Amino acid sequence: MTSPRVEIDLGKIQENARCLVRRLAARGISVTGVTKAVCGHPDVAMAMLDGGVVGLADARVSNVIRMRAAGIACSISMIRAPLVNEKNDVILSCDASYNTEIDTILKLGAAAKDQGAVHDIILMVEMGDLREGIMAENLNEFASRVVATQGVAFKGIAANFACLGNVAPTPGDMAMLSRLADQVESECGPCVALVSGGGSANLAWALGKGATGRINNLRLGEAILLGIDPVSGQPINGLHTDAFALFAEVIEARPKPSSISMRPSVPKQGQLELVSDGGQGNRAVLAIGEQDTNASGLCLPSGFGLIGATSDHTVVDTAHITLPVGSEMKMGLSYSALMRAMSAPDVAKSVHGKQSLKGIALDREPHRVLTLV
Ligand SMILES: *Cc1c(COP(=O)(O)O)cnc(C)c1O
């Protein structure tokens, strides 16, 4: 097997998706599977769909095109506001996009009209994460303009939490989003079909006991892929946290001083020499680095510790064990480590459990992205 590589257990991803879909359905909330951390890997997308997510979402149109090319025909949304330059690809490959700028929406509408399509628009509202979002006081005006724009259909509103800031949504925030949905409808009529309350950071609220109001969707990436609540960093009950594993090869292994410092060789004479602090540790140098993953987001085997990483090397303290050169170390990944590994060309991706997927999402007919071009 080539290394470095990410091994992906599709069965665990499917089970995580299924568990979240079931628990949220009981609360009247549908799940959109977010594929950006796996760069739209089609097998992972299929596992999410097999687990019952109602659609997919990604932040990059290149990832959506990859999924369409693999025959995935379900509804796919762009959760990052489209770039003006990619509007034609967005219309061609995505059913909907999350937006915050009226100029972009007008251009999407024009492109959709040209293509004889209607593109759904979801307006992202600023609710404290301070990344993207329309100010609440401008939402009605935005919504009326979308409703009046040809080529696009107003589909709903959404909020985002704990992306830029680490602020988890409160029940008050969610009540406010519900009120905003009502407020938009008081102006534009019953047009807010989707009220998407956020991502994995919102699960604690969504799975709680409070009223869900008009919130009827969450966009989940990290919870499905890693089984982790991004706010607390803790595993979510009942989910697999080991659907992904990273393997890297040991290219050097030997004991090294745990630290080296300068000190006088003969006390009081002031001559300096390099001395070790007395501690010796077994070290392994792995053939993987910051270009391939986020080393500080790796979960090393128990008892091992990360010494540091550069672009192409990662140094690990292997405690009392000397690993054979040429052997592989298996590691867990944080969301950011996973995201970088999945996008790194030198990291192989190896999927397991593909045969057990039902393949419900595969289009028998090629998607229009393939027929129109
Ligand atoms: C990344 C992202 C999500 C998914 O977030 P997770 O924490 O992975 O669940 C949802 N919505 C938007 C807008 C995002 O950028």
Side-chain angles (χ1 to χ4, degrees):
M1 281 264 217
T2 55
S3 88
R5 72 177 178 283
V6 178
E7 293 202 7
I8 308 169
D9 185 328
L10 298 176
K12 288 180 176 165
I13 294 166
Q14 181 199 39
E15 283 174 22
N16 281 359
R18 175 156 297 145
C19 178
L20 289 163
V21 164
R22 183 175 46 75
R23 288 158 74 177
L24 287 167
R27 304 270 290 152
I29 295 174
S30 68
V31 176
T32 299
V34 175
T35 50
K36 69 185 177 201
V38 292
C39 294
H41 194 296
D43 294 329
V44 175
M46 287 289 301
M48 288 181 171
L49 287 163
D50 260 5
V53 302
V54 289
L56 300 170
D58 204 289
R60 297 190 186 223
V61 74
S62 52
N63 292 341
V64 178
I65 290 171
R66 181 182 182 197
M67 293 190 276
R68 292 304 192 204
I72 292 176
C74 70
S75 158
I76 306 185
S77 311
M78 272 286 286
I79 38 169
R80 184 175 72 181
L83 281 68
V84 169
N85 274 334
E86 65 192 18
K87 59 181 187 295
N88 289 317
D89 283 341
V90 169
I91 301 299
L92 206 52
S93 57
C94 304
D95 303 270
S97 58
Y98 288 69
N99 285 273
T100 61
E101 290 289 351
I102 204 74
D103 283 353
T104 307
I105 296 168
L106 294 175
K107 287 177 175 137
L108 287 168
K113 257 188 87 183
D114 283 352
Q115 291 185 26
V118 176
H119 184 75
D120 286 340
I121 300 289
I122 299 130
L123 292 177
M124 187 71 95
V125 189
E126 174 58 61
M127 293 204 71
D129 190 47
L130 302 180
R131 199 178 67 180
E132 78 279 30
I134 296 164
M135 298 315 223
E137 61 267 31
N138 302 325
L139 186 60
N140 275 16
E141 184 200 330
F142 259 81
S144 344
R145 291 204 63 187
V146 176
V147 169
T149 303
Q150 294 194 340
V152 294
F154 180 60
K155 172 105 179 280
I157 61 175
N160 206 26
F161 297 91
C163 274
L164 190 58
N166 199 29
V167 188
T170 63
D173 292 329
M174 289 296 100
M176 162 84 143
L177 190 61
S178 285
R179 277 205 303 280
L180 287 173
D182 292 341
Q183 180 198 297
V184 168
E185 291 193 341
S186 70
E187 175 130 351
C188 306
C191 56
V192 185
L194 184 82
V195 184
S196 186
S200 302
N202 223 348
L203 273 173
W205 168 81
L207 294 173
K209 295 205 162 35
T212 50
R214 294 204 52 181
I215 315 302
N216 59 13
N217 175 262
L218 289 185
R219 314 172 302 274
L220 301 181
E222 182 162 2
I224 297 177
L225 299 171
L226 296 179
I228 297 286
D229 170 3
V231 178
S232 65
Q234 293 303 308
I236 298 167
N237 241 338
L239 300 189
H240 300 283
T241 56
D242 58 350
F244 295 85
L246 179 66
F247 292 78
E249 188 170 316
V250 176
I251 53 174
E252 182 190 295
R254 62 171 57 92
K256 288 204 180 168
S258 45
S259 80
I260 289 177
S261 57
M262 304 276 252
R263 71 164 94 120
S265 59
V266 182
K268 296 197 176 98
Q269 281 185 4
Q271 222 176 352
L272 296 173
E273 66 173 2
L274 272 179
V275 286
S276 106
D277 66 356
Q280 277 237 328
N282 287 308
R283 296 289 171 83
V285 179
L286 304 177
I288 191 163
E290 295 290 352
Q291 273 199 34
D292 310 293
T293 189
N294 170 15
S296 62
L298 296 176
C299 179
L300 301 171
S302 153
F304 290 9
L306 178 71
I307 301 291
T310 58
S311 55
D312 310 288
H313 298 80
T314 297
V315 180
V316 174
D317 180 335
T318 56
H320 53 276
I321 299 166
T322 308
L323 293 172
V325 167
S327 65
E328 288 184 336
M329 191 180 292
K330 179 181 177 182
M331 297 162 279
L333 300 117
S334 71
Y335 202 43
S336 67
L338 172 68
M339 190 170 305
R340 213 184 294 171
M342 291 303 291
S343 63
D346 288 335
V347 178
K349 286 85 188 170
S350 162
V351 294
H352 303 280
K354 196 170 170 173
Q355 62 289 350
S356 68
L357 297 184
K358 294 195 300 279
I360 46 165
L362 276 180
D363 203 356
R364 300 296 163 238
E365 305 285 313
H367 188 264
R368 62 195 175 91
V369 70
L370 297 177
T371 51
L372 278 184
V373 285

